[in-house]
Amino acid sequence: MTQRYRLLIEYDGRPFSGWQRQQDQPSVQAAIEKAAEAVDGAPVVVQGSGRTDSGVHALGQVAHLDFQRPIEQRKVADALNAHLRPLPIAILDAWPVQEGFHARFDAVKRHYRYKIINRRADLTVRKGLAWRCPQHLDEAAMQKAAQALIGRHDFSTFRDTGCQADSPVRTLDEITIMRNGNEIDVTCSAQSFLHRQVRSIVGSLVEVGRGREKPGWIADILAAKDRTACGPVAPATGLYLERIDYPE
Amino acid sequence: MTQRYRLLIEYDGRPFSGWQRQQDQPSVQAAIEKAAEAVDGAPVVVQGSGRTDSGVHALGQVAHLDFQRPIEQRKVADALNAHLRPLPIAILDAWPVQEGFHARFDAVKRHYRYKIINRRADLTVRKGLAWRCPQHLDEAAMQKAAQALIGRHDFSTFRDTGCQADSPVRTLDEITIMRNGNEIDVTCSAQSFLHRQVRSIVGSLVEVGRGREKPGWIADILAAKDRTACGPVAPATGLYLERIDYPE
């Protein structure tokens, strides 16, 4: 009698080659599968809501797995965490769910946050946890430019050449640029994203923020539907998969 | 013709045995003095607003130093940062100040922040940057208990046995406990603090927060003026020297 669990997962992306299991490379998925096997006593497949790239962090990744052996609900997270130690992966919560629940296919919205620190000095406590941009960024210009991206568009410009999605069309529900002192957070929400879409958008918006491009340039490069029109891709270090929404 | 500069400094306390220069131990002060000597070409003394313990972080430490050779103001921070690399110490800003300015003696208020993450799972992205408390903390009880500490008191209970201050009497201007999700920040402001006073207060407040002691216990142990009455000292990892105020 198997029981499916939904997991809420936080990780520091730095030591991993990404979420996805890979031959001979450390991945978050493989680490959780190994911990789950140690808990359940049999091989376990862990299905995430989606992949994250090498170095990308997660504050609220969601995954599901099936355990063959009964285990008290309140012990699932602790048991997995005990086997994950000392890797920087934490199971924040685990709930029993119906067999039909699917972390990837049931997700209705994905929320990413990109953290920029706008200052000249190198990072110290936040090293590896944000992208430092030394040139002053005009966040109002970035916000204005970003409006062009909201809605349903062909995002070919903002899609990695290795992207395996069938279509470059996505609906971006929200994009917000917020400054608090020298910290600028870019938050993006959509049902799904293309490969490196958020980092491509943020890197292009920073070109606007630092005054190298006018705000209207973002609409122009979107309309070009051409990967070569994109600005530099922002580094993985500032990106966080923040939350995934599911139907109630 | 020497010029005094006031420095605003951020550092990750983990690799250092504290602010204070020490024989054969890495310190923030010695690292900045070495960088300053490389910039100025002669030995430089860096005077901080006060010490921080081994592992304690700073977001806004202040120090002063004198340069013998003229240097453009806007290049001071960059020049020091170039020589500090790759240590996690950043000079955020540098201003020329009058010769009479003294980072320690002129400080009128010091602000500390202690970051607690109240959850069972180990920390990942914030590992080394906060104190994880697995037992549920009642922040309202902590706030109620903390009221007893505000004002002028003999803080012998909350003072490390190695404290070198002449008097155990200090005036705590403010102490606030704020919860945001599972993050609890304790902020404390005073003109000056005793050695390990903030960590002693936070460790004791956590005893109240987890229900091992009633809120009134904080007033009782303060009144005892006895170091052995103090709760466990909170670890250095969650403490940040956040800001120092000077007269305009």
Side-chain angles (χ1 to χ4, degrees):
Chain A
M1 185 60 188
T2 69
Q3 174 65 55
R4 181 157 292 189
Y5 288 92
R6 170 175 161 181
L7 308 178
L8 180 65
I9 307 161
E10 180 188 277
Y11 50 86
D12 182 331
R14 282 175 281 186
F16 304 104
S17 63
W19 166 266
Q20 179 91 347
R21 192 191 319 110
Q22 286 179 59
Q23 200 85 38
D24 304 324
Q25 300 263 37
S27 70
V28 179
Q29 186 185 25
I32 301 174
E33 288 179 340
K34 192 176 159 202
E37 178 168 349
V39 171
D40 197 45
V44 177
V45 171
V46 172
Q47 171 68 53
S49 71
R51 306 176 187 185
T52 54
D53 271 352
S54 178
V56 172
H57 312 297
L59 300 178
Q61 170 70 293
V62 173
H64 73 257
L65 56 70
D66 295 324
F67 277 149
Q68 308 299 320
R69 296 200 307 177
I71 176 169
E72 268 185 83
Q73 183 200 339
R74 63 183 186 82
K75 292 188 178 165
V76 173
D78 285 357
L80 290 169
N81 287 331
H83 289 284
L84 284 164
R85 232 162 259 148
L87 293 173
I89 302 172
I91 310 301
L92 300 180
D93 219 333
W95 307 266
V97 286
Q98 292 191 321
E99 211 181 324
F101 173 81
H102 197 285
R104 182 171 165 209
F105 301 131
D106 291 352
V108 293
K109 206 177 271 195
R110 291 164 168 87
H111 304 270
Y112 279 93
R113 180 176 297 267
Y114 195 97
K115 296 186 85 66
I116 296 169
I117 297 186
N118 191 198
R119 74 179 200 194
R120 291 181 63 80
D122 285 356
L123 303 183
T124 69
V125 285
R126 289 164 299 183
K127 192 176 168 66
L129 301 175
W131 180 28
R132 179 183 65 96
C133 291
Q135 305 89 353
H136 176 76
L137 300 179
D138 177 348
E139 72 277 10
M142 292 167 71
Q143 182 70 61
K144 188 177 169 193
Q147 299 315 301
L149 302 170
I150 295 174
R152 184 175 163 88
H153 301 285
D154 179 329
F155 281 98
S156 291
T157 301
F158 301 98
R159 175 193 198 185
D160 190 79
T161 51
C163 181
Q164 290 166 24
D166 291 334
S167 163
V169 175
R170 288 291 182 275
T171 300
L172 185 66
D173 295 312
E174 275 184 71
I175 177 165
T176 307
I177 293 95
M178 266 182 305
R179 178 187 279 273
N180 179 12
N182 64 15
E183 300 185 25
I184 297 175
D185 280 18
V186 181
T187 52
C188 292
S189 302
Q191 189 187 355
S192 67
F193 288 93
L194 301 165
H195 190 202
R196 300 213 171 139
Q197 187 180 352
V198 178
R199 289 166 56 193
S200 299
I201 289 173
V202 170
S204 299
L205 287 174
V206 162
E207 293 296 287
V208 173
R210 59 191 284 214
R212 287 185 56 157
E213 302 288 351
K214 297 260 183 272
W217 177 71
I218 295 291
D220 294 344
I221 64 173
L222 175 69
K225 298 172 195 165
D226 175 3
R227 180 61 176 165
T228 65
C230 188
V233 175
T237 183
L239 186 59
Y240 293 77
L241 174 53
E242 194 168 42
R243 196 172 88 243
I244 317 280
D245 295 340
Y246 292 89
E248 280 303 313
Chain B
M1 184 61 187
T2 70
Q3 175 64 56
R4 181 158 292 187
Y5 288 92
R6 170 174 160 181
L7 308 178
L8 180 65
I9 308 161
E10 180 188 277
Y11 49 85
D12 182 330
R14 281 175 282 185
F16 303 105
S17 63
W19 166 267
Q20 177 92 346
R21 193 191 317 111
Q22 286 179 60
Q23 199 86 38
D24 305 324
Q25 300 264 36
S27 70
V28 179
Q29 185 186 24
I32 302 175
E33 288 179 340
K34 194 176 159 202
E37 178 168 348
V39 171
D40 197 44
V44 177
V45 171
V46 172
Q47 171 68 52
S49 71
R51 307 177 186 182
T52 54
D53 271 353
S54 178
V56 172
H57 312 297
L59 301 177
Q61 169 70 293
V62 174
H64 73 258
L65 55 71
D66 295 325
F67 277 150
Q68 308 299 320
R69 297 198 310 178
I71 176 168
E72 270 185 80
Q73 184 199 339
R74 63 184 186 82
K75 292 189 177 165
V76 173
D78 285 357
L80 289 170
N81 286 332
H83 289 284
L84 284 166
R85 232 162 259 148
L87 293 173
I89 302 173
I91 310 300
L92 300 181
D93 217 334
W95 307 268
V97 286
Q98 292 191 320
E99 210 181 322
F101 173 82
H102 197 285
R104 181 172 166 208
F105 300 132
D106 290 353
V108 293
K109 206 177 269 194
R110 292 165 168 87
H111 304 271
Y112 279 93
R113 181 176 295 268
Y114 196 98
K115 296 186 85 63
I116 296 168
I117 297 185
N118 191 197
R119 73 181 201 193
R120 291 181 63 81
D122 284 356
L123 303 184
T124 70
V125 286
R126 288 166 299 184
K127 191 176 167 68
L129 301 174
W131 179 29
R132 178 183 65 96
C133 291
Q135 306 89 353
H136 176 75
L137 300 179
D138 176 347
E139 71 278 9
M142 293 167 71
Q143 182 71 59
K144 188 177 169 194
Q147 298 314 301
L149 302 170
I150 294 175
R152 184 176 163 86
H153 301 286
D154 178 330
F155 281 99
S156 291
T157 301
F158 301 98
R159 175 193 199 186
D160 189 79
T161 51
C163 181
Q164 288 165 25
D166 291 335
S167 163
V169 175
R170 288 293 183 274
T171 300
L172 186 67
D173 295 314
E174 275 184 69
I175 178 164
T176 307
I177 293 95
M178 266 181 306
R179 178 187 280 271
N180 180 12
N182 64 15
E183 300 184 26
I184 297 175
D185 281 18
V186 181
T187 53
C188 292
S189 303
Q191 187 186 356
S192 67
F193 287 93
L194 300 165
H195 189 202
R196 300 212 172 140
Q197 187 180 350
V198 177
R199 290 164 56 192
S200 297
I201 288 172
V202 170
S204 299
L205 287 174
V206 162
E207 294 295 288
V208 172
R210 60 193 283 214
R212 287 185 54 156
E213 301 288 352
K214 296 262 184 271
W217 176 71
I218 295 290
D220 294 344
I221 63 173
L222 175 69
K225 298 171 195 166
D226 175 2
R227 180 60 175 166
T228 64
C230 189
V233 175
T237 184
L239 186 59
Y240 294 76
L241 174 54
E242 193 167 43
R243 195 172 90 243
I244 318 281
D245 295 340
Y246 292 89
E248 279 303 312

